[in-house]
Amino acid sequence: MNVFFVARNVFRRLRHDWLTVIMLGTIPLLFILLFGYAFSGTPTDIAVVIVNHDSGKITVNTKEFGTITVEKRLSDDLISGFGDHAFRARMVDDEKQAQDLVKRGRARGVIEIAPGFSQDLIDRVLSVKGEMAYSYHGQTVHLLPRGASERSAPALVLGVDRSNVPTADTIVATVRSSLNSLFLSYLAGRDTTVNWSDMMHTDDLYASGAGYMDYYSPGVIGFAVTVITSMLTLISLVREERNGVLERLLTFSIRPWELSMGYTLAFTIISLVQASEVILIAYFLFHTMFVGSLALMLLVIIVYTIGLQGLGTLLSGLARNEFQAVEYALLIILPGLILTEAFWPVEALSPALRPLVFLFPLTYLNRALRAIMLRGAGFSGIWVELTVLASYALLMLGLSVALMKRRGYTS
Amino acid sequence: MMQETILSDVVRTEGLVKRFGHVLAVRGLDLVVDEGEIYGLIGPNGSGKTTTMRMLCGILRPDEGEVYILGERVPSFKVLRSIGYMPQENAIYDDITVQENLCFFGRIQGLTREDVNTRADSILELVGLRGKRGALARDLSGGMQRRLSLAVAMIHHPALLLLDEPTAGVDPDLRVSFWEHFKELSAQGTTILITTHYLEEASRCGRVGLMSQGRLIEEGPPQALEEEAHAKTLEDAFLKLVGKGKEEG
Ligand SMILES: Nc1ncnc2c1ncn2[C@@H]1O[C@H](COP(=O)(O)OP(=O)(O)OP(=O)(O)O)[C@@H](O)[C@H]1O
Ligand SMILES: [Mg+2]
């Protein structure tokens, strides 16, 4: 019977804590809905730059007319073979410009098609097929192999930013599959496959050789810092609120901003120590890729945790007990798991949710960490992220000081 | 003459009102406490004593009315240094030691490290916690925690002490020595506003204010209150006056 009384008492206490009841009800929903709606499988709409130099001029031997040159840009077929969803492609004429877009993070990869692409493709097809009918000025002609043609460089060169492993893999796989289909369409009915492996070459523009572990570890760091800092800030502030110390402090001659900054300083040190642990373990035990500056990385983490603590302080003002504090922390952490590129790039989310990604500061931290650790980005490579994080930190600090002020109302 | 009164008022409130939802916790309170006075605020549970204290030290914003402390209109940051507030709950850090608590609160009030240490010595002596200097606050008994909280309020030698039931749960011996100390402080010019449910303590105050349902229903030296209510003790007076106040309110 006592078991029943204890259980009933739990529910009675909840009755006066409607916020907790609501959260208890909605957090699982939020969790499963986020997961369910978030993923659309492989990444789509990946920003790529296409530099198409394909001349579309194909010189072939024919039975009927000897050597002729026909115009057919097979690269257009290759590009349409990518499908409508895989890429958000931008065409540029100049490789330098293309690579610059990747450098600035505006594109995840470059697809460069050499002038002899169509020629190379037809040569390879003919070398397998032997002969191929072709409609030339209304007349059917028979194309013949030209014999060994000299190929200097691969006709298709991919440059990918491997610091984003999932999108890099998808770019390579998509291009490869489109090229393969193109060959198959010309070889229909034959089971001989063309060896075209040397026709395509992939360069890692950044983070050469990075694997999934390397991709995840910046995300793990960002996520760990988020979990720890938000829990720490919320719970310790709510505890002080509950035992009256916070209120008492406000009758001492301490300014609200001094109080806020004091907490911020302490929690920042703790977060930094913890982030360092994760970094060290990742680096020394798992040999994760780390080519950038540790100092810059710590700077970004500091700026981020300051903002997060400001948010924690605000939420602690709303939370009436430790229970609610944990729930608020979960509200920060859950989206952080899914909507912030910690473990999946924005391209892997369903399109409707993608704009949300840019609302979460953790996104910018993850991006900055990845840029520093995997691409070796310096200050100039992450200033956008850093600016966003710094503005956010200032805003949150300002709001949390304002809240402290309101609590004490003695400025 | 006018100037002089303002200076000697350490606490002055004008028409103070505080509501919590439907509850009128304080309804139109005019309170004046003079320099060096020990003023006892008494009244039944829920009569608005704590709410009043919290408005005096700037934690709660009054819905109506004004508070002046040492001539400054509250909220005033400047005046905080002159206030020592001891809340009804202990409000100490229970996960650090007695000494560390005093040190932290003292430094925040602008004391140097040396000052804090010398002040801590004499205050711990007063509250009888010298032997517990290194003990974690949470390991202290309930009354000892109360004493530590009092020590924190006094660490910076404030001109005005706002003490919300400082002696609740404190043993009789120590209560006597507390009151000796309060008298001493008051003789040196410290103003003390104190709430208590121990009426024999209240009768040691220079003046007593009796609160009931958010109003000050009687005020004056303890003997005057007794006489007015035709009572032998302050306790009798309290019971009679509060009963009367209820009928009227
Ligand atoms: N934060 C609050 N929210 C709602 N009501 C409150 C709050 N604080 C006080 N009250 C109400 O205001 C009234 C006055 O409370 P207050 O704590 O000032 O009484 P008190 O005289 O200090 O009582 P006690 O002798 O029990 O300490 C009470 O009715 C109380 O319920
Ligand atoms: Mg009270």
Side-chain angles (χ1 to χ4, degrees), chain A residues 47-50 90 95-111 158-163 171 203-206 375 381:
Chain A
V48 295
V49 194
I50 299 176
R90 172 164 170 189
E95 296 93 71
K96 282 276 160 307
Q97 194 194 344
Q99 295 194 354
D100 190 54
L101 286 168
V102 178
K103 183 179 178 189
R104 300 206 324 262
R106 304 283 294 279
R108 307 283 203 194
V110 180
I111 301 168
L158 303 189
V160 292
D161 176 2
R162 195 157 289 281
S163 71
I171 293 173
D203 274 330
D204 290 344
L205 298 179
Y206 297 98
R375 294 168 54 137

PDB file of all heavy atoms in Angstrom, chain A residues 47-50 90 95-111 158-163 171 203-206 375 381:
ATOM      1  N   ALA A  47      25.839  21.577 -52.561  1.00  0.00           N
ATOM      2  CA  ALA A  47      26.347  22.652 -53.428  1.00  0.00           C
ATOM      3  C   ALA A  47      27.634  22.184 -54.108  1.00  0.00           C
ATOM      4  O   ALA A  47      28.608  21.852 -53.449  1.00  0.00           O
ATOM      5  CB  ALA A  47      26.629  23.892 -52.592  1.00  0.00           C
ATOM      6  N   VAL A  48      27.599  22.132 -55.442  1.00  0.00           N
ATOM      7  CA  VAL A  48      28.813  21.794 -56.188  1.00  0.00           C
ATOM      8  C   VAL A  48      29.003  22.828 -57.291  1.00  0.00           C
ATOM      9  O   VAL A  48      28.068  23.523 -57.678  1.00  0.00           O
ATOM     10  CB  VAL A  48      28.749  20.389 -56.834  1.00  0.00           C
ATOM     11  CG1 VAL A  48      28.677  19.297 -55.787  1.00  0.00           C
ATOM     12  CG2 VAL A  48      27.595  20.289 -57.805  1.00  0.00           C
ATOM     13  N   VAL A  49      30.231  22.905 -57.739  1.00  0.00           N
ATOM     14  CA  VAL A  49      30.528  23.804 -58.847  1.00  0.00           C
ATOM     15  C   VAL A  49      30.943  22.938 -60.022  1.00  0.00           C
ATOM     16  O   VAL A  49      31.752  22.017 -59.866  1.00  0.00           O
ATOM     17  CB  VAL A  49      31.690  24.747 -58.501  1.00  0.00           C
ATOM     18  CG1 VAL A  49      31.749  25.875 -59.504  1.00  0.00           C
ATOM     19  CG2 VAL A  49      31.533  25.291 -57.101  1.00  0.00           C
ATOM     20  N   ILE A  50      30.377  23.198 -61.159  1.00  0.00           N
ATOM     21  CA  ILE A  50      30.739  22.421 -62.343  1.00  0.00           C
ATOM     22  C   ILE A  50      31.513  23.325 -63.297  1.00  0.00           C
ATOM     23  O   ILE A  50      31.056  24.424 -63.620  1.00  0.00           O
ATOM     24  CB  ILE A  50      29.483  21.850 -63.028  1.00  0.00           C
ATOM     25  CG1 ILE A  50      28.755  20.905 -62.058  1.00  0.00           C
ATOM     26  CG2 ILE A  50      29.864  21.120 -64.312  1.00  0.00           C
ATOM     27  CD1 ILE A  50      27.455  20.354 -62.587  1.00  0.00           C
ATOM     28  N   ARG A  90      26.334  24.841 -59.668  1.00  0.00           N
ATOM     29  CA  ARG A  90      26.575  26.172 -60.187  1.00  0.00           C
ATOM     30  C   ARG A  90      27.655  26.012 -61.239  1.00  0.00           C
ATOM     31  O   ARG A  90      28.646  25.323 -61.020  1.00  0.00           O
ATOM     32  CB  ARG A  90      27.056  27.037 -59.025  1.00  0.00           C
ATOM     33  CG  ARG A  90      27.519  28.380 -59.448  1.00  0.00           C
ATOM     34  CD  ARG A  90      27.600  29.271 -58.240  1.00  0.00           C
ATOM     35  NE  ARG A  90      28.260  30.500 -58.607  1.00  0.00           N
ATOM     36  CZ  ARG A  90      28.635  31.420 -57.754  1.00  0.00           C
ATOM     37  NH1 ARG A  90      28.433  31.218 -56.466  1.00  0.00           N
ATOM     38  NH2 ARG A  90      29.220  32.505 -58.170  1.00  0.00           N
ATOM     39  N   GLU A  95      38.534  27.278 -63.152  1.00  0.00           N
ATOM     40  CA  GLU A  95      38.803  26.364 -62.032  1.00  0.00           C
ATOM     41  C   GLU A  95      39.153  27.120 -60.758  1.00  0.00           C
ATOM     42  O   GLU A  95      38.755  26.743 -59.666  1.00  0.00           O
ATOM     43  CB  GLU A  95      39.982  25.425 -62.326  1.00  0.00           C
ATOM     44  CG  GLU A  95      39.799  24.450 -63.452  1.00  0.00           C
ATOM     45  CD  GLU A  95      40.324  24.990 -64.753  1.00  0.00           C
ATOM     46  OE1 GLU A  95      41.550  25.097 -64.892  1.00  0.00           O
ATOM     47  OE2 GLU A  95      39.503  25.324 -65.626  1.00  0.00           O
ATOM     48  N   LYS A  96      39.925  28.179 -60.933  1.00  0.00           N
ATOM     49  CA  LYS A  96      40.344  28.965 -59.757  1.00  0.00           C
ATOM     50  C   LYS A  96      39.124  29.464 -58.994  1.00  0.00           C
ATOM     51  O   LYS A  96      39.020  29.354 -57.785  1.00  0.00           O
ATOM     52  CB  LYS A  96      41.190  30.165 -60.188  1.00  0.00           C
ATOM     53  CG  LYS A  96      42.629  29.820 -60.527  1.00  0.00           C
ATOM     54  CD  LYS A  96      43.471  29.773 -59.260  1.00  0.00           C
ATOM     55  CE  LYS A  96      44.753  28.991 -59.469  1.00  0.00           C
ATOM     56  NZ  LYS A  96      44.569  27.637 -60.011  1.00  0.00           N
ATOM     57  N   GLN A  97      38.198  30.007 -59.770  1.00  0.00           N
ATOM     58  CA  GLN A  97      36.977  30.544 -59.166  1.00  0.00           C
ATOM     59  C   GLN A  97      36.204  29.429 -58.455  1.00  0.00           C
ATOM     60  O   GLN A  97      35.692  29.610 -57.354  1.00  0.00           O
ATOM     61  CB  GLN A  97      36.116  31.166 -60.267  1.00  0.00           C
ATOM     62  CG  GLN A  97      34.999  32.050 -59.750  1.00  0.00           C
ATOM     63  CD  GLN A  97      33.996  32.365 -60.844  1.00  0.00           C
ATOM     64  OE1 GLN A  97      34.269  32.186 -62.031  1.00  0.00           O
ATOM     65  NE2 GLN A  97      32.832  32.836 -60.441  1.00  0.00           N
ATOM     66  N   ALA A  98      36.181  28.274 -59.102  1.00  0.00           N
ATOM     67  CA  ALA A  98      35.463  27.134 -58.541  1.00  0.00           C
ATOM     68  C   ALA A  98      36.081  26.705 -57.215  1.00  0.00           C
ATOM     69  O   ALA A  98      35.395  26.504 -56.215  1.00  0.00           O
ATOM     70  CB  ALA A  98      35.479  25.982 -59.530  1.00  0.00           C
ATOM     71  N   GLN A  99      37.406  26.591 -57.228  1.00  0.00           N
ATOM     72  CA  GLN A  99      38.067  26.130 -56.003  1.00  0.00           C
ATOM     73  C   GLN A  99      37.940  27.158 -54.893  1.00  0.00           C
ATOM     74  O   GLN A  99      37.887  26.811 -53.716  1.00  0.00           O
ATOM     75  CB  GLN A  99      39.535  25.832 -56.300  1.00  0.00           C
ATOM     76  CG  GLN A  99      39.631  24.671 -57.284  1.00  0.00           C
ATOM     77  CD  GLN A  99      41.013  24.092 -57.368  1.00  0.00           C
ATOM     78  OE1 GLN A  99      41.955  24.611 -56.769  1.00  0.00           O
ATOM     79  NE2 GLN A  99      41.146  23.011 -58.121  1.00  0.00           N
ATOM     80  N   ASP A 100      37.865  28.426 -55.305  1.00  0.00           N
ATOM     81  CA  ASP A 100      37.687  29.467 -54.307  1.00  0.00           C
ATOM     82  C   ASP A 100      36.342  29.327 -53.601  1.00  0.00           C
ATOM     83  O   ASP A 100      36.226  29.543 -52.397  1.00  0.00           O
ATOM     84  CB  ASP A 100      37.809  30.838 -54.981  1.00  0.00           C
ATOM     85  CG  ASP A 100      37.869  31.949 -53.958  1.00  0.00           C
ATOM     86  OD1 ASP A 100      38.747  31.871 -53.071  1.00  0.00           O
ATOM     87  OD2 ASP A 100      37.031  32.872 -54.023  1.00  0.00           O
ATOM     88  N   LEU A 101      35.341  28.921 -54.356  1.00  0.00           N
ATOM     89  CA  LEU A 101      34.017  28.717 -53.748  1.00  0.00           C
ATOM     90  C   LEU A 101      34.069  27.601 -52.705  1.00  0.00           C
ATOM     91  O   LEU A 101      33.421  27.673 -51.667  1.00  0.00           O
ATOM     92  CB  LEU A 101      32.985  28.388 -54.834  1.00  0.00           C
ATOM     93  CG  LEU A 101      32.549  29.573 -55.693  1.00  0.00           C
ATOM     94  CD1 LEU A 101      31.766  29.111 -56.904  1.00  0.00           C
ATOM     95  CD2 LEU A 101      31.717  30.533 -54.858  1.00  0.00           C
ATOM     96  N   VAL A 102      34.842  26.574 -53.007  1.00  0.00           N
ATOM     97  CA  VAL A 102      34.980  25.485 -52.043  1.00  0.00           C
ATOM     98  C   VAL A 102      35.755  25.976 -50.826  1.00  0.00           C
ATOM     99  O   VAL A 102      35.410  25.695 -49.680  1.00  0.00           O
ATOM    100  CB  VAL A 102      35.680  24.273 -52.676  1.00  0.00           C
ATOM    101  CG1 VAL A 102      35.869  23.166 -51.644  1.00  0.00           C
ATOM    102  CG2 VAL A 102      34.876  23.760 -53.854  1.00  0.00           C
ATOM    103  N   LYS A 103      36.776  26.752 -51.113  1.00  0.00           N
ATOM    104  CA  LYS A 103      37.595  27.275 -50.019  1.00  0.00           C
ATOM    105  C   LYS A 103      36.749  28.110 -49.061  1.00  0.00           C
ATOM    106  O   LYS A 103      36.855  28.002 -47.850  1.00  0.00           O
ATOM    107  CB  LYS A 103      38.719  28.131 -50.597  1.00  0.00           C
ATOM    108  CG  LYS A 103      39.669  28.669 -49.549  1.00  0.00           C
ATOM    109  CD  LYS A 103      40.771  29.489 -50.173  1.00  0.00           C
ATOM    110  CE  LYS A 103      41.675  30.051 -49.091  1.00  0.00           C
ATOM    111  NZ  LYS A 103      42.612  31.017 -49.659  1.00  0.00           N
ATOM    112  N   ARG A 104      35.877  28.919 -49.656  1.00  0.00           N
ATOM    113  CA  ARG A 104      35.051  29.786 -48.815  1.00  0.00           C
ATOM    114  C   ARG A 104      33.854  29.045 -48.238  1.00  0.00           C
ATOM    115  O   ARG A 104      33.011  29.641 -47.569  1.00  0.00           O
ATOM    116  CB  ARG A 104      34.563  30.996 -49.624  1.00  0.00           C
ATOM    117  CG  ARG A 104      35.711  31.836 -50.159  1.00  0.00           C
ATOM    118  CD  ARG A 104      35.330  33.283 -50.387  1.00  0.00           C
ATOM    119  NE  ARG A 104      33.974  33.489 -50.860  1.00  0.00           N
ATOM    120  CZ  ARG A 104      33.647  33.668 -52.146  1.00  0.00           C
ATOM    121  NH1 ARG A 104      34.585  33.663 -53.078  1.00  0.00           N
ATOM    122  NH2 ARG A 104      32.408  33.865 -52.486  1.00  0.00           N
ATOM    123  N   GLY A 105      33.790  27.739 -48.486  1.00  0.00           N
ATOM    124  CA  GLY A 105      32.715  26.955 -47.894  1.00  0.00           C
ATOM    125  C   GLY A 105      31.389  27.124 -48.609  1.00  0.00           C
ATOM    126  O   GLY A 105      30.362  26.693 -48.122  1.00  0.00           O
ATOM    127  N   ARG A 106      31.407  27.769 -49.773  1.00  0.00           N
ATOM    128  CA  ARG A 106      30.153  27.978 -50.494  1.00  0.00           C
ATOM    129  C   ARG A 106      29.766  26.746 -51.300  1.00  0.00           C
ATOM    130  O   ARG A 106      28.634  26.617 -51.737  1.00  0.00           O
ATOM    131  CB  ARG A 106      30.286  29.181 -51.433  1.00  0.00           C
ATOM    132  CG  ARG A 106      30.699  30.450 -50.723  1.00  0.00           C
ATOM    133  CD  ARG A 106      29.504  31.035 -49.988  1.00  0.00           C
ATOM    134  NE  ARG A 106      28.490  31.463 -50.935  1.00  0.00           N
ATOM    135  CZ  ARG A 106      28.528  32.615 -51.589  1.00  0.00           C
ATOM    136  NH1 ARG A 106      29.512  33.458 -51.371  1.00  0.00           N
ATOM    137  NH2 ARG A 106      27.586  32.939 -52.440  1.00  0.00           N
ATOM    138  N   ALA A 107      30.736  25.862 -51.536  1.00  0.00           N
ATOM    139  CA  ALA A 107      30.436  24.632 -52.259  1.00  0.00           C
ATOM    140  C   ALA A 107      31.238  23.509 -51.632  1.00  0.00           C
ATOM    141  O   ALA A 107      32.266  23.729 -51.014  1.00  0.00           O
ATOM    142  CB  ALA A 107      30.796  24.786 -53.732  1.00  0.00           C
ATOM    143  N   ARG A 108      30.692  22.294 -51.751  1.00  0.00           N
ATOM    144  CA  ARG A 108      31.357  21.144 -51.144  1.00  0.00           C
ATOM    145  C   ARG A 108      32.308  20.450 -52.106  1.00  0.00           C
ATOM    146  O   ARG A 108      33.054  19.580 -51.708  1.00  0.00           O
ATOM    147  CB  ARG A 108      30.325  20.115 -50.689  1.00  0.00           C
ATOM    148  CG  ARG A 108      29.236  20.651 -49.792  1.00  0.00           C
ATOM    149  CD  ARG A 108      29.710  20.865 -48.385  1.00  0.00           C
ATOM    150  NE  ARG A 108      28.582  20.851 -47.462  1.00  0.00           N
ATOM    151  CZ  ARG A 108      28.640  21.271 -46.211  1.00  0.00           C
ATOM    152  NH1 ARG A 108      29.787  21.721 -45.727  1.00  0.00           N
ATOM    153  NH2 ARG A 108      27.587  21.225 -45.440  1.00  0.00           N
ATOM    154  N   GLY A 109      32.215  20.812 -53.406  1.00  0.00           N
ATOM    155  CA  GLY A 109      33.102  20.142 -54.344  1.00  0.00           C
ATOM    156  C   GLY A 109      33.040  20.754 -55.728  1.00  0.00           C
ATOM    157  O   GLY A 109      32.132  21.522 -56.051  1.00  0.00           O
ATOM    158  N   VAL A 110      34.057  20.428 -56.523  1.00  0.00           N
ATOM    159  CA  VAL A 110      34.142  20.927 -57.892  1.00  0.00           C
ATOM    160  C   VAL A 110      34.120  19.721 -58.820  1.00  0.00           C
ATOM    161  O   VAL A 110      34.805  18.719 -58.571  1.00  0.00           O
ATOM    162  CB  VAL A 110      35.468  21.682 -58.118  1.00  0.00           C
ATOM    163  CG1 VAL A 110      35.541  22.205 -59.540  1.00  0.00           C
ATOM    164  CG2 VAL A 110      35.616  22.816 -57.126  1.00  0.00           C
ATOM    165  N   ILE A 111      33.326  19.790 -59.883  1.00  0.00           N
ATOM    166  CA  ILE A 111      33.351  18.743 -60.900  1.00  0.00           C
ATOM    167  C   ILE A 111      33.915  19.388 -62.159  1.00  0.00           C
ATOM    168  O   ILE A 111      33.298  20.286 -62.736  1.00  0.00           O
ATOM    169  CB  ILE A 111      31.934  18.197 -61.155  1.00  0.00           C
ATOM    170  CG1 ILE A 111      31.362  17.622 -59.849  1.00  0.00           C
ATOM    171  CG2 ILE A 111      31.962  17.134 -62.254  1.00  0.00           C
ATOM    172  CD1 ILE A 111      29.879  17.329 -59.917  1.00  0.00           C
ATOM    173  N   LEU A 158      37.336  15.362 -60.002  1.00  0.00           N
ATOM    174  CA  LEU A 158      36.513  15.856 -58.897  1.00  0.00           C
ATOM    175  C   LEU A 158      37.430  16.444 -57.842  1.00  0.00           C
ATOM    176  O   LEU A 158      38.449  15.846 -57.496  1.00  0.00           O
ATOM    177  CB  LEU A 158      35.716  14.726 -58.247  1.00  0.00           C
ATOM    178  CG  LEU A 158      34.790  13.915 -59.136  1.00  0.00           C
ATOM    179  CD1 LEU A 158      33.936  12.990 -58.271  1.00  0.00           C
ATOM    180  CD2 LEU A 158      33.905  14.835 -59.935  1.00  0.00           C
ATOM    181  N   GLY A 159      37.067  17.591 -57.337  1.00  0.00           N
ATOM    182  CA  GLY A 159      37.778  18.138 -56.181  1.00  0.00           C
ATOM    183  C   GLY A 159      36.767  18.247 -55.065  1.00  0.00           C
ATOM    184  O   GLY A 159      35.774  18.958 -55.188  1.00  0.00           O
ATOM    185  N   VAL A 160      36.965  17.495 -53.991  1.00  0.00           N
ATOM    186  CA  VAL A 160      35.961  17.540 -52.929  1.00  0.00           C
ATOM    187  C   VAL A 160      36.572  18.051 -51.633  1.00  0.00           C
ATOM    188  O   VAL A 160      37.763  17.909 -51.387  1.00  0.00           O
ATOM    189  CB  VAL A 160      35.324  16.156 -52.668  1.00  0.00           C
ATOM    190  CG1 VAL A 160      34.486  15.738 -53.860  1.00  0.00           C
ATOM    191  CG2 VAL A 160      36.380  15.119 -52.335  1.00  0.00           C
ATOM    192  N   ASP A 161      35.717  18.647 -50.838  1.00  0.00           N
ATOM    193  CA  ASP A 161      36.104  19.077 -49.507  1.00  0.00           C
ATOM    194  C   ASP A 161      35.812  17.906 -48.574  1.00  0.00           C
ATOM    195  O   ASP A 161      34.673  17.685 -48.186  1.00  0.00           O
ATOM    196  CB  ASP A 161      35.276  20.302 -49.122  1.00  0.00           C
ATOM    197  CG  ASP A 161      35.560  20.737 -47.695  1.00  0.00           C
ATOM    198  OD1 ASP A 161      36.419  20.103 -47.034  1.00  0.00           O
ATOM    199  OD2 ASP A 161      34.921  21.706 -47.247  1.00  0.00           O
ATOM    200  N   ARG A 162      36.851  17.158 -48.249  1.00  0.00           N
ATOM    201  CA  ARG A 162      36.596  15.946 -47.476  1.00  0.00           C
ATOM    202  C   ARG A 162      36.375  16.222 -45.992  1.00  0.00           C
ATOM    203  O   ARG A 162      36.051  15.314 -45.231  1.00  0.00           O
ATOM    204  CB  ARG A 162      37.721  14.925 -47.689  1.00  0.00           C
ATOM    205  CG  ARG A 162      37.338  13.531 -47.216  1.00  0.00           C
ATOM    206  CD  ARG A 162      38.105  12.420 -47.861  1.00  0.00           C
ATOM    207  NE  ARG A 162      37.763  12.212 -49.254  1.00  0.00           N
ATOM    208  CZ  ARG A 162      36.678  11.565 -49.664  1.00  0.00           C
ATOM    209  NH1 ARG A 162      35.836  11.062 -48.803  1.00  0.00           N
ATOM    210  NH2 ARG A 162      36.451  11.429 -50.937  1.00  0.00           N
ATOM    211  N   SER A 163      36.521  17.491 -45.597  1.00  0.00           N
ATOM    212  CA  SER A 163      36.213  17.774 -44.192  1.00  0.00           C
ATOM    213  C   SER A 163      34.732  17.502 -43.941  1.00  0.00           C
ATOM    214  O   SER A 163      34.309  17.336 -42.813  1.00  0.00           O
ATOM    215  CB  SER A 163      36.551  19.222 -43.846  1.00  0.00           C
ATOM    216  OG  SER A 163      35.638  20.102 -44.453  1.00  0.00           O
ATOM    217  N   ILE A 171      29.104  13.104 -53.351  1.00  0.00           N
ATOM    218  CA  ILE A 171      29.487  13.706 -54.638  1.00  0.00           C
ATOM    219  C   ILE A 171      30.172  12.660 -55.513  1.00  0.00           C
ATOM    220  O   ILE A 171      29.804  12.435 -56.672  1.00  0.00           O
ATOM    221  CB  ILE A 171      30.432  14.918 -54.420  1.00  0.00           C
ATOM    222  CG1 ILE A 171      29.685  16.057 -53.732  1.00  0.00           C
ATOM    223  CG2 ILE A 171      31.007  15.393 -55.755  1.00  0.00           C
ATOM    224  CD1 ILE A 171      30.573  17.221 -53.318  1.00  0.00           C
ATOM    225  N   ASP A 203      40.271  14.342 -56.249  1.00  0.00           N
ATOM    226  CA  ASP A 203      41.235  15.021 -55.375  1.00  0.00           C
ATOM    227  C   ASP A 203      40.515  15.460 -54.114  1.00  0.00           C
ATOM    228  O   ASP A 203      39.409  15.981 -54.193  1.00  0.00           O
ATOM    229  CB  ASP A 203      41.734  16.314 -56.046  1.00  0.00           C
ATOM    230  CG  ASP A 203      42.897  16.049 -56.961  1.00  0.00           C
ATOM    231  OD1 ASP A 203      43.662  15.110 -56.681  1.00  0.00           O
ATOM    232  OD2 ASP A 203      43.016  16.783 -57.966  1.00  0.00           O
ATOM    233  N   ASP A 204      41.161  15.278 -52.965  1.00  0.00           N
ATOM    234  CA  ASP A 204      40.616  15.898 -51.755  1.00  0.00           C
ATOM    235  C   ASP A 204      41.217  17.290 -51.654  1.00  0.00           C
ATOM    236  O   ASP A 204      42.416  17.436 -51.444  1.00  0.00           O
ATOM    237  CB  ASP A 204      40.995  15.083 -50.513  1.00  0.00           C
ATOM    238  CG  ASP A 204      40.250  13.755 -50.466  1.00  0.00           C
ATOM    239  OD1 ASP A 204      39.258  13.611 -51.204  1.00  0.00           O
ATOM    240  OD2 ASP A 204      40.671  12.877 -49.691  1.00  0.00           O
ATOM    241  N   LEU A 205      40.395  18.284 -51.856  1.00  0.00           N
ATOM    242  CA  LEU A 205      40.920  19.652 -51.770  1.00  0.00           C
ATOM    243  C   LEU A 205      41.297  19.998 -50.341  1.00  0.00           C
ATOM    244  O   LEU A 205      42.236  20.722 -50.072  1.00  0.00           O
ATOM    245  CB  LEU A 205      39.885  20.654 -52.287  1.00  0.00           C
ATOM    246  CG  LEU A 205      39.493  20.498 -53.752  1.00  0.00           C
ATOM    247  CD1 LEU A 205      38.445  21.523 -54.124  1.00  0.00           C
ATOM    248  CD2 LEU A 205      40.718  20.643 -54.650  1.00  0.00           C
ATOM    249  N   TYR A 206      40.488  19.489 -49.400  1.00  0.00           N
ATOM    250  CA  TYR A 206      40.761  19.723 -47.983  1.00  0.00           C
ATOM    251  C   TYR A 206      40.596  18.418 -47.245  1.00  0.00           C
ATOM    252  O   TYR A 206      39.895  17.535 -47.685  1.00  0.00           O
ATOM    253  CB  TYR A 206      39.796  20.764 -47.410  1.00  0.00           C
ATOM    254  CG  TYR A 206      39.954  22.099 -48.078  1.00  0.00           C
ATOM    255  CD1 TYR A 206      39.097  22.469 -49.096  1.00  0.00           C
ATOM    256  CD2 TYR A 206      40.988  22.950 -47.721  1.00  0.00           C
ATOM    257  CE1 TYR A 206      39.253  23.683 -49.735  1.00  0.00           C
ATOM    258  CE2 TYR A 206      41.156  24.156 -48.358  1.00  0.00           C
ATOM    259  CZ  TYR A 206      40.291  24.519 -49.370  1.00  0.00           C
ATOM    260  OH  TYR A 206      40.455  25.710 -49.994  1.00  0.00           O
ATOM    261  N   ARG A 375      40.309  21.275 -41.919  1.00  0.00           N
ATOM    262  CA  ARG A 375      40.787  22.053 -43.060  1.00  0.00           C
ATOM    263  C   ARG A 375      41.948  22.938 -42.696  1.00  0.00           C
ATOM    264  O   ARG A 375      42.523  23.604 -43.540  1.00  0.00           O
ATOM    265  CB  ARG A 375      39.655  22.930 -43.611  1.00  0.00           C
ATOM    266  CG  ARG A 375      38.521  22.140 -44.208  1.00  0.00           C
ATOM    267  CD  ARG A 375      37.319  23.022 -44.467  1.00  0.00           C
ATOM    268  NE  ARG A 375      37.651  24.177 -45.282  1.00  0.00           N
ATOM    269  CZ  ARG A 375      36.906  24.638 -46.284  1.00  0.00           C
ATOM    270  NH1 ARG A 375      35.796  24.018 -46.594  1.00  0.00           N
ATOM    271  NH2 ARG A 375      37.253  25.693 -46.952  1.00  0.00           N
ATOM    272  N   GLY A 381      39.289  31.910 -42.088  1.00  0.00           N
ATOM    273  CA  GLY A 381      38.420  30.854 -42.583  1.00  0.00           C
ATOM    274  C   GLY A 381      37.178  30.660 -41.732  1.00  0.00           C
ATOM    275  O   GLY A 381      36.249  29.963 -42.129  1.00  0.00           O
TER     276      GLY A 381
END
